[in-house]
């Protein structure tokens, strides 16, 4: 074989190898299991069967070396957290509907949240997020029999698809009456209700056909900062979603160089802070169960870990960490000088819209 033929053969082989590398899917190692905390749900099966012993522990340490440690306190024993942990809302609703506890600001907020999800809305539209999982048989048939996480995903689905609203079949009210509950809770000073009411006001304006002119006023921005400063985890979650959203004539800049935020990392930073300030963010929360069941993202042990590993690019994770520190300092000190809003700029492309999802 002459030299030219050899070179042609080598070149052809390189083309084949290059094409395979370009077309083959990237390899993403699953996060190995770590020891579940005592609060982890019993129904969640053990993580990957092969992830045990010293080798797995070493691998887990290497993979988590680049993931920031997020200390998450035990959620406080509040009425709102009781609602978040409930697997059926009817008993809690009956207790609040007929007692002074339900007339408090927090009680009205919890009644709003329960009725928003469970009652039949006779006039107007249902505000916020309501889970709508597929039928169980359809879900199971959609998972490959060889999926190594099949049983884990089914167990997560069964928890995510729990009917929290059993017993509410005959409960109905108008949207106006529902929103009055939220408004009363906000007027009584509940920071979570204040943030939700402000968000609903903005979305009502958008749905009313004023999308091109809807924005956050300076007074609303100041109010959201004050709400976040209460350090209530749910208030932080909602305030961050509103402040990070796309509004007319509105651009958020952050840091010493006052660079425009990248919205997804900015909103995710608020969600991580919500976990750090006491929101339930473990494997048994609806958003973690949904991620495991629907996407097979089952190996993260907390929502911050899920965001860093599954929900962010390396670039996003770096920004998330930077934003998180700046926002934490602002919340704790009340000094918001590193987060500013600029007006009068042309709208940028690819702006994201964030709506409520599972907690």
């Amino acid at each position: 074989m002459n030299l030219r033929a050899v070179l042609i053969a080598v070149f052809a082989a390189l083309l084949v190898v290059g094409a395979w590398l370009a077309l083959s899917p990237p390899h993403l190692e699953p996060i190995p299991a770590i020891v579940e905390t005592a609060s982890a749900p019993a129904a969640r099966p053990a993580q990957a069967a092969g992830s045990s012993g010293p080798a797995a522990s070493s691998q887990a340490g290497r993979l988590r070396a680049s993931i920031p440690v997020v200390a998450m306190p035990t959620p406080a024993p509040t009425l709102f957290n009781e609602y978040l942990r409930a697997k059926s809302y009817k008993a809690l609703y009956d207790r609040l509907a007929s007692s002074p506890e339900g007339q408090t600001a927090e009680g009205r907020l919890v009644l709003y949240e329960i009725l928003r999800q469970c009652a039949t809305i006779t006039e107007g539209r249902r505000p916020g997020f309501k889970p709508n999982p597929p039928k169980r048989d359809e879900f199971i048939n959609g998972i490959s029999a060889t999926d190594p996480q099949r049983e884990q995903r089914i167990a997560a689905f069964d928890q995510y698809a729990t009917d929290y609203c059993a017993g509410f079949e005959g409960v109905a009210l108008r949207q106006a009456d529902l929103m009055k509950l939220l408004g009363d809770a906000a007027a009584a000073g509940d920071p979570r209700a204040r943030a939700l009411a402000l968000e609903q006001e903005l979305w009502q304006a958008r749905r009313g056909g004023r999308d091109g002119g809807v924005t956050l006023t300076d007074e609303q921005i100041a109010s959201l900062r004050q709400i976040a400063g209460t350090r209530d985890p749910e208030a932080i979650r909602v305030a961050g979603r509103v402040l990070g959203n796309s509004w007319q004539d509105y651009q958020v800049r952050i840091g010493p160089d006052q660079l425009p935020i990248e919205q997804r990392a900015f909103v995710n930073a608020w969600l991580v802070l919500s976990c750090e300030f006491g929101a339930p963010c473990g494997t048994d929360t609806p958003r973690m169960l949904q991620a495991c069941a629907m996407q097979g993202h089952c190996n993260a042990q907390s929502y911050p870990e899920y965001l860093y590993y599954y929900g962010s690019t390396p670039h996003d994770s770096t920004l998330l960490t930077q934003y998180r520190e700046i926002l934490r300092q602002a919340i704790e000190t009340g000094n918001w000088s590193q987060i500013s809003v600029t007006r009068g700029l042309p709208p940028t492309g690819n702006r994201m819209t964030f709506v409520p999802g599972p907690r």
Side-chain angles (χ1 to χ4, degrees):
M1 183 181 293
N2 59 33
L3 179 59
R4 181 176 179 180
V6 171
L7 290 175
I8 290 173
V10 171
F11 182 70
L14 289 174
L15 284 177
V16 171
V17 172
W20 183 86
L21 289 173
L23 295 174
S24 62
H27 177 65
L28 178 64
E29 287 190 68
I31 304 176
I34 61 174
V35 177
E36 294 279 359
T37 63
S39 61
R44 289 288 291 275
Q47 307 289 342
S51 300
S52 60
S57 299
S58 175
Q59 184 183 24
R62 289 196 304 273
L63 286 172
R64 287 190 168 84
S66 61
I67 296 178
V69 175
V70 176
M72 296 185 299
T74 301
T78 64
L79 176 59
F80 190 80
N81 281 337
E82 182 184 351
Y83 150 71
L84 292 181
R85 290 297 190 189
K87 298 303 180 186
S88 175
Y89 294 148
K90 191 62 168 65
L92 180 58
Y93 172 78
D94 288 343
R95 187 183 97 201
L96 295 177
S98 58
S99 72
E101 187 182 20
Q103 300 303 308
T104 64
E106 187 176 34
R108 291 177 186 272
L109 173 63
V110 172
L111 284 171
Y112 162 80
E113 286 284 2
I114 292 174
L115 290 169
R116 178 187 65 78
Q117 295 179 75
C118 299
T120 299
I121 307 301
T122 57
E123 296 178 21
R125 60 185 294 167
R126 184 185 306 276
F129 170 80
K130 179 178 172 62
N132 186 29
K135 294 179 180 179
R136 189 176 191 273
D137 289 346
E138 293 176 354
F139 170 77
I140 292 176
N141 290 337
I143 303 177
S144 168
T146 58
D147 187 331
Q149 295 180 307
R150 178 181 171 86
E151 296 306 317
Q152 191 173 355
R153 292 179 65 183
I154 293 172
F157 175 85
D158 286 339
Q159 292 185 74
Y160 175 67
T162 297
D163 182 8
Y164 294 82
C165 294
F168 281 86
E169 291 76 10
V171 179
L173 79 166
R174 300 178 306 158
Q175 185 198 41
D177 296 327
L178 178 65
M179 299 310 296
K180 186 177 185 304
L181 277 173
L182 179 62
D184 289 347
D190 189 285
R192 299 155 293 195
R194 290 171 59 199
L196 284 167
L198 194 157
E199 182 180 48
Q200 284 298 320
E201 179 185 342
L202 291 164
W203 282 109
Q204 287 280 15
R206 276 191 168 177
R207 285 192 290 266
R210 296 196 295 112
D211 181 63
V214 176
T215 191
L216 281 171
T217 66
D218 292 344
E219 291 76 15
Q220 288 171 327
I221 293 168
S223 179
L224 288 167
R225 289 173 174 175
Q226 189 274 329
I227 287 168
T230 66
R231 307 189 190 188
D232 179 273
E234 178 70 5
I236 288 171
R237 187 180 81 96
V238 179
R241 185 172 66 227
V242 178
L243 288 167
N245 234 320
S246 298
W247 307 108
Q248 178 73 16
D249 191 25
Y250 175 85
Q251 183 186 88
V252 180
R253 295 187 175 186
I254 193 167
D257 297 323
Q258 288 292 280
L259 298 176
I261 62 165
E262 296 196 19
Q263 287 177 277
R264 179 170 57 189
F266 185 73
V267 171
N268 283 345
W270 286 92
L271 294 176
V272 170
L273 284 171
S274 176
C275 297
E276 289 186 277
F277 279 98
C281 291
T283 55
D284 58 343
T285 53
R287 57 188 170 189
M288 292 288 284
L289 294 169
Q290 182 190 50
C292 177
M294 304 302 177
Q295 298 171 276
H297 293 172
C298 301
N299 290 326
Q301 303 302 305
S302 69
Y303 190 65
E305 188 172 292
Y306 169 85
L307 284 177
Y308 281 111
Y309 190 77
Y310 289 115
S312 304
T313 65
H315 173 69
D316 282 347
S317 291
T318 299
L319 286 179
L320 194 165
T321 301
Q322 294 171 356
Y323 293 167
R324 166 192 168 207
E325 292 305 315
I326 292 171
L327 291 169
R328 171 180 275 281
Q329 184 179 34
I331 289 169
E332 292 182 339
T333 66
N335 180 359
W336 291 82
S337 59
Q338 291 208 62
I339 305 102
S340 63
V341 172
T342 303
R343 311 281 190 179
L345 297 177
T348 58
N350 301 319
R351 302 197 73 189
M352 298 179 179
T353 298
F354 301 97
V355 296
R359 290 183 177 87

